[in-house]
């Protein structure tokens, strides 16, 4: 009887039944305010750290930038506290409002500019596409 009760408690628990998808994971998207073809790959770790790889393609050549820091969920979105860019200290905090999110896709807005992003969840083995395929 105890295993049955434990299963029912887990199934009926509000946190289990209505849990929101996690921001933790690997998210790939395209577009930046000044470059609609730019790409990014966010690796959001469950411990609140992140790494992001940005790629801009110009005439088939990749220009990459890497940033790292911490992320945190807020009431209506999340913040990204960047600590380093390309290994150099460059602290800043970016604030985003989450528009929608499910297990495979998220839409969010960068608050200072109101620029909307859309990213899809990808496996940890995902690699950024090469520029010669898109430019």
């Amino acid at each position: 009887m105890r295993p049955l009760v434990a299963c029912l408690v887990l199934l009926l628990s509000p946190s289990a039944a209505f849990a929101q998808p996690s921001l933790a994971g690997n998210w790939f998207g395209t577009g930046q305010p000044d470059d609609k073809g730019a790409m990014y790959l966010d690796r959001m770790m469950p411990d609140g750290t992140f790494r992001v790889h940005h790629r801009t393609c110009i005439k088939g050549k990749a220009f990459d930038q890497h940033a790292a820091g911490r992320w945190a969920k807020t009431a209506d979105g999340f913040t990204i506290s960047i600590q380093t860019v390309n290994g150099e200290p460059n602290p800043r905090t970016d604030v985003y409002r989450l528009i929608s999110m499910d297990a495979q896709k998220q839409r969010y807005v960068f608050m200072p500019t109101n620029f909307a992003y859309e990213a899809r969840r990808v496996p940890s083995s995902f690699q950024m596409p090469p520029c010669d395929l898109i430019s």
Side-chain angles (χ1 to χ4, degrees):
M1 185 67 154
R2 279 190 186 176
L4 177 61
V5 171
C7 287
L8 287 174
V9 167
L10 285 175
L11 288 173
L12 298 176
S13 164
S15 62
F18 301 106
Q20 293 290 323
S22 175
L23 285 169
N26 302 296
W27 299 92
F28 175 73
T30 58
Q32 292 293 322
D34 57 346
D35 183 358
K36 301 298 181 207
M39 300 177 271
Y40 58 94
L41 176 58
D42 293 328
R43 297 194 186 276
M44 313 281 273
M45 310 305 168
D47 68 356
T49 60
F50 81 91
R51 293 184 320 271
V52 61
H53 177 183
H54 290 274
R55 174 168 287 164
T56 298
C57 298
I58 301 173
K59 296 183 181 176
K61 182 173 168 101
F63 294 88
D64 292 340
Q65 183 179 69
H66 300 270
R70 300 198 58 77
W71 67 273
K73 185 89 171 77
T74 62
D76 64 347
F78 58 98
T79 60
I80 299 287
S81 296
I82 296 171
Q83 296 167 347
T84 62
V85 175
N86 292 334
E88 298 292 323
N90 192 357
R92 76 169 196 261
T93 299
D94 293 340
V95 178
Y96 297 89
R97 181 174 48 85
L98 203 53
I99 298 169
S100 65
M101 185 169 136
D102 61 32
Q104 297 305 314
K105 185 169 57 170
Q106 58 176 291
R107 294 180 56 228
Y108 53 98
V109 172
F110 180 55
M111 294 307 294
T113 63
N114 208 32
F115 186 81
Y117 292 91
E118 186 172 304
R120 64 181 168 92
R121 192 179 295 272
V122 294
S124 60
S125 60
F126 182 86
Q127 297 292 315
M128 191 80 75
C131 285
D132 59 353
L133 292 179
I134 65 160
S135 61

